[in-house]
Amino acid sequence: MLKAIRFVAIASLVAPMFLVAQSSNVTLPQDKGPGKIDVSSYPPEQQKAYKVFDNKCAKCHTIARPINTTMTKAEWERYVKRMMHKPNSGISDSQGKEIFEFLAYDQQMRKDKNPSAFYKSLSDEEIEKLRSQQH
Ligand code: HEC
């Protein structure tokens, strides 16, 4: 009985923390960069995928975050999966795939040509450090 009460008490404290954790509550350096990409020279399917990306990846943090982050193709694949699997991400498998293909293309076209204009992705520890400095 006591165990059950303790469980409910802990669960009610922890559940809201999970809800908050979905949304980003930290500003990363890349969040302050430009919030759009000129895709006018991209192939039509990439222009279409850009809209999905712009719509889906701005739910929990600014779209500037992925726009100004440089990663390898393999890292983008992992990252899109990680974002998709966050609770309430609202991103389906097929949308995730389309977004990943867009990010891989954009990485090659825009970021790999001028890497110093972009930010490398941060480790969880680096993000935690920024979070504690900002709160
Ligand atoms: C459900 C909420 C949510 C959605 C949707 C989401 N993200 Fe995120 N994203 C986060 C959180 C949380 C972090 C971790 C840092 C933080 O706490 O702000 C993060 C961090 C990032 C980072 C920072 C990487 C680094 O380490 O510097 C990138 C890039 C990123 N997201 C890209 C994307 C892309 C691309 C999409 C769309 C496929 C996306 N996000 C959709 C919540 C989300």
Side-chain angles (χ1 to χ4, degrees):
M1 186 59 193
L2 197 61
K3 243 187 189 162
I5 292 172
R6 211 180 288 148
F7 176 77
V8 171
I10 292 171
S12 64
L13 281 175
V14 171
M17 282 163 56
F18 276 115
L19 289 176
V20 170
Q22 289 165 28
S23 243
S24 173
N25 52 5
V26 58
T27 305
L28 305 185
Q30 54 268 53
D31 295 353
K32 296 183 196 132
K36 54 172 166 274
I37 304 173
D38 176 6
V39 294
S40 57
S41 65
Y42 288 13
E45 70 271 18
Q46 296 298 356
Q47 296 191 19
K48 195 173 135 266
Y50 173 62
K51 290 199 186 124
V52 181
F53 159 74
D54 194 30
N55 177 14
K56 294 289 174 182
C57 302
K59 187 179 167 187
C60 312
H61 45 68
T62 154
I63 197 68
R65 183 175 293 182
I67 286 180
N68 301 298
T69 302
T70 177
M71 292 192 198
T72 64
K73 194 171 169 176
E75 284 168 336
W76 278 122
E77 184 166 21
R78 229 179 310 126
Y79 225 90
V80 170
K81 284 192 183 137
R82 182 171 157 184
M83 296 290 131
M84 271 172 70
H85 293 138
K86 285 188 185 288
N88 297 324
S89 78
I91 305 172
S92 71
D93 284 359
S94 67
Q95 288 162 340
K97 190 165 180 286
E98 197 176 0
I99 293 169
F100 161 67
E101 272 157 19
F102 172 79
L103 286 166
Y105 181 83
D106 178 62
Q107 178 67 42
Q108 210 181 3
M109 296 308 291
R110 200 171 55 96
K111 295 172 177 168
D112 288 347
K113 289 178 181 158
N114 191 12
S116 63
F118 301 98
Y119 294 89
K120 290 215 173 74
S121 71
L122 300 167
S123 67
D124 290 349
E125 291 71 30
E126 287 167 321
I127 291 176
E128 266 325 303
K129 198 167 159 220
L130 284 173
R131 204 190 313 273
S132 66
Q133 286 163 354
Q134 289 169 17
H135 285 267

